[in-house]
Amino acid sequence: MIARVRHLSAEELRAFTLELVEALSDAAELDVDATTHEVIEGWRATARIKADPAHYAEARKPTSGDFGPVQVSA
C-alpha cells in the first residue's frame, strides 16, 4: 500500500489515515480486526484505479441502468 499512496490526493490520504486509525483503535480496544482489512483493501483499490489513467477515466464515467442483483457475502 505504501507505494500506492502516491496516487491518492492529499485529501484522500488524510481520509485513509483517519479511517485506518479508527479501525486500528477498534481492533485494539474491541478485538475487531476485520474492519482494518476492509479499510486497507478499499483504499488499495482506490489507489490502484487512480494509478492507471485509463481505468480511472473509465471509473469516472457516468453510468445508467440496472446492473442486476448484488451478491452479498456473509
Side-chain angles (χ1 to χ4, degrees):
M1 180 67 179
I2 299 301
R4 292 195 177 118
V5 297
R6 71 178 177 272
H7 300 291
L8 301 176
S9 69
E11 184 177 317
E12 290 168 328
L13 185 54
R14 183 175 188 281
F16 164 63
T17 303
L18 290 173
E19 283 186 50
L20 183 58
V21 167
E22 289 173 356
L24 290 171
S25 177
D26 286 349
E29 295 176 19
L30 306 173
D31 199 27
V32 178
D33 59 356
T35 306
T36 303
H37 180 72
E38 290 172 5
V39 168
I40 293 170
E41 288 302 312
W43 281 101
R44 179 178 286 149
T46 299
R48 186 178 295 127
I49 288 172
K50 291 186 79 175
D52 183 328
H55 281 120
Y56 188 53
E58 184 67 28
R60 294 182 49 98
K61 288 182 181 177
T63 60
S64 64
D66 184 349
F67 295 98
V70 175
Q71 297 294 325
V72 178
S73 58

